[in-house]
Amino acid sequence: MSAPPAHSPPRPPGPVPSPCINICHIDAASGWCEGCQRTLDEIAAWSTLSDDAKHAVWLQLDARRDVLFPPR
């Protein structure tokens, strides 16, 4: 499976969007979704997280992506 596109944390005014890209498969080793690199707890809580908490998740996604899909 090829790596999904890299995330860049959005910070425009308004609500923080979900990083979901509809590739929903949890990696057994890391516990992260292979599409959006969030944990099941982060996915489940997304709609109730504050914008600051959502942004904090976004800031972790590129590093998680590099673990799941190491750069060549």
Side-chain angles (χ1 to χ4, degrees):
M1 176 181 217
S2 64
H7 298 289
S8 57
R11 245 347 221 184
V16 178
S18 169
C20 180
I21 60 169
N22 296 318
I23 299 174
C24 305
H25 182 266
I26 301 299
D27 177 76
S30 67
W32 301 326
C33 173
E34 290 182 4
C36 67
Q37 289 78 57
R38 292 180 294 170
T39 65
L40 285 173
D41 288 343
E42 291 166 344
I43 292 167
W46 192 260
S47 64
T48 62
L49 292 176
S50 68
D51 283 350
D52 286 342
K54 289 176 182 178
H55 184 66
V57 171
W58 269 99
L59 291 175
Q60 299 176 60
L61 300 182
D62 282 338
R64 292 177 183 180
R65 181 179 180 273
D66 288 345
V67 170
L68 288 176
F69 307 100
R72 295 176 193 202

